[in-house]
Amino acid sequence: MMGMSSALLAPREAPDSSLLSILIAPHAQLRARARPVREGDGETVRALLPRLFATMYQAPGIGLAAPQVSVGLRVAVVDLQLDDTAPIALVNPEIVALSDELATREEGCLSLPGQYADVTRPNRVRVRYLDAAGVRREIEAEGLFAACLQHEIDHLDGVLFVDHLSALKRNMILRRLAKEQRQKPK
Ligand code: NI
């Protein structure tokens, strides 16, 4: 992965931050497992990140994963947009530790607009990833940040937050989403 660094750090032109369109569930691409970023993907990832951030901020959202914009790579961005947080780009993120302690919080998803439900997940998580410069990093997160990281990493495996709910609840939300999407003016 070392070869990625220079390509990612030295854009030859101003980054293209034009918006990407976000897939809405149900969509087969949201259910596919994304493949790891390899050395040859440096240029693609460098071009993708500013557009992922721009699309997330415009939505607005606090996280967005590449499969949600039809890119099957293990890349996601997160920005809780709180006073003490910074935007984070995650390339090939991996969960290396989870707490036994669980926490329940309401989640939503840009691919399931208008739908929210309480999701229970480990309250703390340790994630290993490559940053935008291809540098290997590890972070510990808890609370909202931990939930957001798990939610985005789920997307890379084709998992949506509704998959953490009972089948009854999940189907109710997916039916409601489908109905609202049908009724939405085109
Ligand atoms: Ni999501």
Side-chain angles (χ1 to χ4, degrees), residues 132-148:
V135 175
R136 195 181 160 91
R137 299 194 180 276
E138 202 168 291
I139 39 164
E140 278 203 22
E142 69 173 315
L144 175 65
F145 189 24
C148 192

Side-chain angles (χ1 to χ4, degrees), residues 30 63-65 68 107-112 121 148 151-152 154-155 159-161:
L30 291 171
L64 187 62
Q68 292 180 272
E107 293 191 23
C109 180
L110 296 177
S111 293
L112 289 88
R121 302 178 183 270
C148 192
H151 178 120
E152 299 313 324
D154 270 355
H155 274 301
V159 174
L160 302 174
F161 78 87

Side-chain angles (χ1 to χ4, degrees), residues 23 27-38 41 45 48 52 64-76 90-94 151-159:
L23 298 177
H27 192 291
Q29 270 184 280
L30 291 171
R31 292 313 201 168
R33 197 180 159 80
R35 74 156 173 85
V37 169
R38 301 188 282 256
D41 298 318
V45 173
L48 174 64
L52 261 187
L64 187 62
Q68 292 180 272
V69 295
S70 312
V71 177
L73 291 174
R74 302 188 77 81
V75 174
L90 303 145
V91 175
N92 293 346
E94 277 177 82
H151 178 120
E152 299 313 324
I153 293 170
D154 270 355
H155 274 301
L156 308 181
D157 294 320
V159 174

Side-chain angles (χ1 to χ4, degrees), residues 48-57 60-66 68 74-82 84-91 93 107 110 125 127 129-132 139-156:
L48 174 64
L49 285 173
R51 301 186 70 190
L52 261 187
F53 275 113
T55 304
M56 175 184 75
Y57 291 130
I62 59 171
L64 187 62
Q68 292 180 272
R74 302 188 77 81
V75 174
V77 295
V78 168
D79 187 351
L80 301 183
Q81 294 157 68
L82 303 171
D84 56 345
T85 61
I88 176 171
L90 303 145
V91 175
E107 293 191 23
L110 296 177
V125 66
V127 174
Y129 64 101
L130 299 171
D131 67 13
I139 39 164
E140 278 203 22
E142 69 173 315
L144 175 65
F145 189 24
C148 192
L149 289 171
Q150 291 173 75
H151 178 120
E152 299 313 324
I153 293 170
D154 270 355
H155 274 301
L156 308 181

